[in-house]
Amino acid sequence: MLMRFSLQRVKNLKALRPHVLASAYSRFSTATEPSLNHRNPPRVPNLIGGAFVDSKSTAIIDVINPATQEVVSQVPLTTNEEFKAAVASAKQAFPLWRSTPITTRQRIMFKLQELIRRDMDKLAKNITTEQGKTLKDAHGDVFRGLEVVEHACGMATLQMGEYVPNVSSGIDTYSVREPLGVCAGICPFNFPAMIPLWMFPVAVTCGNTFVLKPSEKDPGASRMLAELAMEAGLPHGVLNIVHGTNDIVNAICDDDDIRAISFVGSNTAGMHIYGRASAKGKRVQSNMGAKNHGIVMPDANKDSTLNALVAAGFGAAGQRCMALSTVVFVGDSESWENQLVERAKALKVNAGTEPDADLGPVISKQAKERICRLIQSGAESGAKLLLDGRNIVVPGYEQGNFIGPTILSGVTSDMECYKEEIFGPVLICMKANSLEEAINIVNRNKYGNGASIFTTSGAAARKFQTEVEAGQVGINVPIPVPLPFFSFTGSKASFAGDLNFYGKAGVNFYTQIKTVTQQWKDLPSGSGVSLAMPTSQKL
């Protein structure tokens, strides 16, 4: 996933200290120039101890509507004192919350999912305003997160331990899963509702408390979700929210009271967080970059495959970590590419609030500039630009960060447009002479989030699913993201850590095993003391 949090343009900040991340982040910066067309935008508060409180910080970041450049709100950068207060609040709330019956915690999740459904339209509208995706896609953003909340409603079963009686004469052993303590989440801009809902519902239903850092580009959905969680009955201090960029991320990594960190974002940031936090003894799950491939076999159903490629390649303006950004045609590709161009041309680019919009703007002007540079790099390296969406102008939204669907063909694995995650509405097309060659192309790529094959051959599909090196595999499914009773299983350079998001892996991530061995029997007197290693054998 391309950089979702980065060093933004910070206003009124007197001195910005050098950071380990600064030079790396600048390459992925999606900062936006402040707009003057909203004179008194609201300030986004912190959530500390159950109260939304305005930060005392004078350093702020504008939240920009990508379609209009309007300043929607302003995010003060949480001060160190405020961050410490948020962590202290979570730490204070933990003992009582962990001892709260699991059935009570589940009922809060039941109520939360009801409230999310009630406010689905409000959440979607906020997401579209701050992030730019279409209203329909924003509803999907909320709904996919809602499914994780629904899954958390069954936490009692998910958290069950194991028991073996009489492992030795009169001795029983059992294991239980216990919460870790204070956990934290660092979120990207591209899914303002779904990713926070990947994190805190599972964490708190396991009995942990949580400190959430939303993306500074679109923090509104996280605030709304926190309001709903407290309305559902989540006690004060169980969920806290802070805001910021490099400083706050490093503070999360370094704080001794935070036991685990969930992160979704770029490889640059993700590996920094993984390394820094792991060195402090924290658990880390880090979902990062991707280059998802779709292999198209000659026998694939043409109509459904073309529709799948267009939807997965251009949906959400390509700003998905599971976007299908690379197509590998086995055998002839020209007829496929021609029809792909025609279907892509039919897509409507517009502001996400417009009812006819198929895809909205990208998050910022800097993101647009980077995408355009990678498109140009591909053309200059010998790729053929079949469809160029760089110069699109949307009437009524001339200042928007729009890029139309773009298709590059004849791409090779040494081109920058292939090696880099573009994170925009750009589909690159490659060729292979056989399924073996196509699988090799996929496997040589450093990323391993997802890969798909389109075919009517069971033998080809089975070979693909067995040999491809990707964590999530689709067979005639372009975006194979599993539902929450499984886990999001990115691999290779797309993930750092041992336990993935949600599902059983997510529950295991937010809990630790305690094993109890107990003996309840009358021991004969005068048996003496034995210093030999205890075993279950009678010698």
Side-chain angles (χ1 to χ4, degrees):
M1 291 179 180
L2 180 68
M3 173 57 55
R4 319 284 207 275
F5 80 88
S6 56
L7 182 59
Q8 295 261 348
R9 180 179 180 85
V10 179
K11 304 197 314 182
N12 303 327
L13 191 57
K14 294 180 180 178
L16 186 65
R17 300 193 309 274
H19 295 285
V20 173
L21 305 182
S23 62
Y25 281 9
S26 63
R27 185 162 68 97
F28 293 102
S29 176
T30 53
T32 50
E33 293 295 327
S35 170
L36 301 177
N37 58 357
H38 193 157
R39 292 174 179 242
N40 295 298
R43 287 166 61 95
V44 180
N46 297 313
L47 173 59
I48 301 174
F52 286 102
V53 291
D54 188 20
S55 173
K56 295 180 180 179
S57 175
T58 57
I60 59 173
I61 296 170
D62 287 337
V63 177
I64 306 292
N65 183 324
T68 65
Q69 305 307 310
E70 176 189 8
V71 178
V72 178
S73 60
Q74 292 182 322
V75 183
L77 304 187
T78 298
T79 66
N80 187 59
E81 292 74 19
E82 292 161 351
F83 169 73
K84 290 293 184 183
V87 176
S89 172
K91 184 178 181 180
Q92 183 179 3
F94 175 63
L96 182 59
W97 179 242
R98 72 169 296 176
S99 63
T100 301
I102 181 63
T103 49
T104 301
R105 300 199 299 259
Q106 286 182 154
R107 288 187 193 105
I108 293 172
M109 290 300 110
F110 273 114
K111 184 63 176 178
L112 176 58
Q113 65 87 24
E114 175 190 331
L115 296 175
I116 290 173
R117 290 179 185 276
R118 183 195 71 188
D119 288 359
M120 182 84 73
D121 290 343
K122 292 180 182 178
L123 285 159
K125 184 177 180 181
N126 173 269
I127 291 168
T128 295
T129 300
E130 293 186 352
Q131 198 271 348
K133 65 178 63 177
T134 66
L135 278 171
K136 185 176 182 180
D137 198 32
H139 275 90
D141 186 332
V142 179
F143 189 81
R144 288 307 294 259
L146 175 63
E147 291 176 325
V148 180
V149 180
E150 293 172 337
H151 188 58
C153 293
M155 187 58 67
T157 302
L158 297 172
Q159 232 178 311
M160 289 176 70
E162 298 174 313
Y163 179 85
V164 179
N166 218 42
V167 295
S168 187
S169 179
I171 297 177
D172 309 321
T173 299
Y174 64 91
S175 65
V176 294
R177 287 205 161 269
E178 296 187 334
L180 303 175
V182 182
C183 302
I186 302 169
C187 300
F189 75 79
N190 60 326
F191 286 100
M194 184 183 76
I195 301 300
L197 291 173
W198 277 12
M199 297 177 181
F200 80 82
V202 178
V204 302
T205 314
C206 285
N208 301 286
T209 54
F210 209 79
V211 177
L212 183 70
K213 193 208 85 67
S215 169
E216 64 277 9
K217 301 179 188 71
D218 44 21
S222 287
R223 174 183 175 173
M224 296 172 72
L225 291 169
E227 290 173 338
L228 296 181
M230 290 190 293
E231 184 181 345
L234 199 67
H236 293 174
V238 174
L239 175 62
N240 303 269
I241 297 178
V242 295
H243 304 284
T245 54
N246 301 349
D247 279 343
I248 206 74
V249 168
N250 285 337
I252 289 171
C253 292
D254 295 344
D255 193 285
D256 291 335
D257 289 326
I258 293 176
R259 298 288 306 280
I261 298 174
S262 299
F263 168 79
V264 178
S266 75
N267 282 66
T268 303
M271 291 310 299
H272 170 83
I273 291 167
Y274 180 75
R276 185 163 181 151
S278 296
K280 292 284 185 176
K282 304 184 194 305
R283 287 188 181 182
V284 183
Q285 52 180 191
S286 181
N287 263 14
M288 300 179 289
K291 198 73 174 181
N292 305 306
H293 296 66
I295 295 176
V296 178
M297 299 298 290
D299 64 352
N301 181 290
K302 184 155 283 190
D303 186 62
S304 62
T305 299
L306 288 168
N307 286 338
L309 296 177
V310 169
F314 303 123
Q319 297 175 121
R320 294 172 176 159
C321 65
M322 285 295 289
L324 200 160
S325 59
T326 304
V327 186
V328 183
F329 293 105
V330 176
D332 173 63
S333 63
E334 186 174 350
S335 63
W336 284 95
E337 290 173 349
N338 291 338
Q339 294 183 61
L340 198 57
V341 168
E342 292 306 310
R343 298 199 186 201
K345 283 181 178 179
L347 297 176
K348 181 72 172 179
V349 180
N350 210 333
T353 51
E354 298 295 334
D356 63 344
D358 292 312
L359 61 154
V362 296
I363 190 66
S364 71
K365 290 188 179 300
Q366 287 70 26
K368 178 178 178 177
E369 290 170 0
R370 179 179 178 275
I371 294 164
C372 290
R373 179 183 63 78
L374 287 169
I375 295 170
Q376 185 62 31
S377 170
E380 291 175 355
S381 298
K384 186 177 180 181
L385 198 52
L386 299 180
L387 183 62
D388 189 350
R390 288 176 291 178
N391 298 319
I392 192 169
V393 176
V394 177
Y397 300 94
E398 288 80 6
Q399 300 304 311
N401 311 320
F402 294 99
I403 300 178
T406 298
I407 299 175
L408 286 162
S409 72
V411 174
T412 56
S413 58
D414 60 339
M415 294 182 183
E416 185 183 15
C417 65
Y418 174 76
K419 292 188 287 186
E420 292 284 336
E421 183 182 28
I422 299 176
F423 220 64
V426 182
L427 193 59
I428 63 176
C429 301
M430 307 176 74
K431 296 180 182 180
N433 293 320
S434 64
L435 176 57
E436 289 79 5
E437 183 183 347
I439 292 173
N440 286 335
I441 290 173
V442 178
N443 290 348
R444 284 196 300 267
N445 191 276
K446 68 178 181 179
Y447 295 115
N449 240 10
S452 297
I453 188 171
F454 299 90
T455 182
T456 55
S457 167
R462 193 172 191 281
K463 178 180 176 66
F464 172 77
Q465 73 179 51
T466 302
E467 297 182 10
V468 74
E469 296 172 4
Q472 295 162 115
V473 175
I475 297 172
N476 298 316
V477 175
I479 304 178
V481 177
L483 292 174
F485 31 85
F486 291 95
S487 297
F488 189 99
T489 52
S491 62
K492 295 167 66 176
S494 294
F495 182 77
D498 297 317
L499 296 166
N500 298 93
F501 282 83
Y502 60 75
K504 288 183 180 179
V507 173
N508 291 348
F509 177 78
Y510 288 120
T511 56
Q512 56 193 349
I513 297 176
K514 177 181 285 184
T515 304
V516 179
T517 301
Q518 60 184 8
Q519 175 177 268
W520 297 106
K521 65 179 181 179
D522 293 327
L523 299 175
S525 59
S527 57
V529 177
S530 173
L531 301 185
M533 173 67 73
T535 73
S536 61
Q537 303 295 315
K538 289 187 177 181
L539 301 177

